[in-house]
Amino acid sequence: MRLTSLKCRALVLAIAALAMPMAALADPNFWKHEWPETDFSRTSVPHWGEVLSGGPPKDGIPALSDPEFMRVGQEGRIGDTEPVVTLEIAGAEPRAYPIRYLTWHEIVNDTVGGVPVAVTFCPLCNSAMTFDRRAKGKTLTFGVSGKLRNSDMIMYDRETQSWWQQAIGEGIVGEMNGVKLVALPTWMESWAQFKDRHPDGLVMAEPAFGRRYGANPYVSYDSSSRPFLYNGELPPHNIPALERVVRVGDRAWPMTRLADVGLVREADVEIEWKAGQASALDSTTIARGRDVGSIRVRDKQGRDVPHDVMFAFAFHAFWPDGQWMLGQ
């Protein structure tokens, strides 16, 4: 796997962290100088050696707030196969959040149909989750902490300086420890698929940052045999660590199985796979990534269901007793 300057810096810091005494890494006091307003006495992290620096410092990856949007017909830069996160909320126009931007910002704080939302993407886990930003009577604004746990982004909220695990949408350190965010039913699909359904829909405009939007800084990452900054157990059943799985609750369906059959009806959900979406973690240019397909998950009433398309190692790390839906 080739590494960009960002990844090289992360690797250097990771090696430095691994060289530190484990007693220091296992002590939350190690992070207090950087996070003086965070209450580290309230935490559900079982072992502090799991928390590592991902390279960039707090806000080194700049989250976005209140982004601008344009009509689908006005956007000419995004390739048809590029992935977007689709958000459809009743009473609001459908919105697409391109992964070409989320790769470099990881969190978008927005308000859609009166609902404050956080659209999140962790490239190292391929996890794209959208949450309602309201918790314990507060509307939170999320940023990127620069920390990883099980290779998954740790977010933080600016209001209480609490830490949140992105993949599970739960507070893990601080005032919000143990609080769960409400996950919203969004999904990743190709730009062409979004345009076909919503020719008059909205798409997030390019942010005013000097980033190589449309480029992939994690070239060939999802073809790697081992995740970056991950020392946990690998998945069972000989499932490759970086195979995509569709997670619904504590169940996971391997993407290879779904691609083979196209449609699965199990465990009170219907999961449909369609070709046409490029991997954001394959080629140097996202639009040229190999086809990994798009997923929709619905219940028996045809309603979209909150879910995630994440790497198998991340599912196993956060749901060690989860059920693997392997079919016959």
Side-chain angles (χ1 to χ4, degrees), residues 169-181:
E170 182 173 337
I172 59 170
V173 177
E175 178 183 329
M176 294 292 182
N177 179 53
V179 176
K180 290 182 177 291
L181 298 171

Side-chain angles (χ1 to χ4, degrees), residues 1-316:
M1 178 179 65
R2 287 185 289 161
L3 298 174
T4 63
S5 58
L6 176 65
K7 295 280 285 187
C8 286
R9 182 185 179 198
L11 184 58
V12 169
L13 290 175
I15 292 172
L18 292 173
M20 295 176 188
M22 288 306 296
L25 287 174
D27 185 351
N29 288 317
F30 179 78
W31 304 109
K32 284 186 177 180
H33 69 284
E34 187 182 3
W35 298 83
E37 299 176 67
T38 301
D39 182 0
F40 285 91
S41 70
R42 302 167 68 175
T43 180
S44 54
V45 175
H47 178 59
W48 277 87
E50 296 176 353
V51 177
L52 296 173
S53 170
K58 179 182 182 181
D59 295 323
I61 297 175
L64 302 174
S65 292
D66 301 319
E68 295 183 356
F69 286 82
M70 62 176 65
R71 293 291 172 187
V72 162
Q74 297 174 297
E75 175 56 73
R77 290 167 291 196
I78 303 174
D80 278 349
T81 62
E82 287 191 42
V84 301
V85 175
T86 296
L87 175 58
E88 298 179 3
I89 290 182
E93 295 180 282
R95 298 191 182 198
Y97 299 82
I99 293 297
R100 62 164 40 214
Y101 307 141
L102 281 163
T103 293
W104 298 94
H105 296 282
E106 300 192 359
I107 300 173
V108 178
N109 297 286
D110 200 4
T111 302
V112 183
V115 179
V117 302
V119 183
T120 72
F121 177 60
C122 176
L124 296 179
C125 289
N126 196 67
S127 175
M129 295 292 293
T130 300
F131 303 104
D132 189 320
R133 292 191 282 118
R134 295 170 292 193
K136 292 187 68 175
K138 298 178 179 174
T139 298
L140 305 175
T141 308
F142 290 97
V144 181
S145 73
K147 307 296 180 285
L148 298 171
R149 178 168 165 250
N150 293 325
S151 201
D152 179 59
M153 167 177 54
I154 296 177
M155 312 186 296
Y156 79 96
D157 71 78
R158 303 187 191 282
E159 288 70 25
T160 74
Q161 297 292 304
S162 296
W163 291 10
W164 300 77
Q165 194 74 60
Q166 180 265 348
I168 61 177
E170 182 173 337
I172 59 170
V173 177
E175 178 183 329
M176 294 292 182
N177 179 53
V179 176
K180 290 182 177 291
L181 298 171
V182 174
L184 302 178
T186 55
W187 56 94
M188 286 176 63
E189 61 183 340
S190 73
W191 173 231
Q193 289 163 344
F194 180 86
K195 288 191 299 182
D196 286 346
R197 284 202 332 280
H198 303 296
D200 296 320
L202 298 174
V203 58
M204 191 174 82
E206 183 171 289
F209 284 80
R211 301 293 189 272
R212 296 185 301 118
Y213 297 122
N216 165 29
Y218 308 94
V219 177
S220 300
Y221 179 62
D222 60 358
S223 298
S224 303
S225 60
R226 187 87 193 182
F228 184 63
L229 290 180
Y230 177 72
N231 296 314
E233 291 184 355
L234 296 180
H237 311 297
N238 294 318
I239 297 174
L242 283 99
E243 176 170 346
R244 288 169 172 81
V245 300
V246 178
R247 181 192 67 81
V248 184
D250 61 355
R251 294 185 173 95
W253 285 258
M255 187 73 96
T256 50
R257 178 192 172 200
L258 298 169
D260 285 342
V261 299
L263 182 67
V264 167
R265 293 187 179 94
E266 291 175 344
D268 296 325
V269 295
E270 175 183 282
I271 306 177
E272 182 181 15
W273 181 94
K274 288 184 178 179
Q277 181 189 152
S279 165
L281 302 165
D282 179 31
S283 176
T284 304
T285 302
I286 291 176
R288 296 175 183 169
R290 73 182 187 282
D291 191 343
V292 294
S294 301
I295 290 291
R296 287 289 291 273
V297 182
R298 300 180 176 93
D299 63 17
K300 290 183 176 180
Q301 287 72 46
R303 297 171 297 195
D304 288 298
V305 173
H307 67 279
D308 197 6
V309 179
M310 66 196 318
F311 290 135
F313 81 85
F315 174 74
H316 185 56

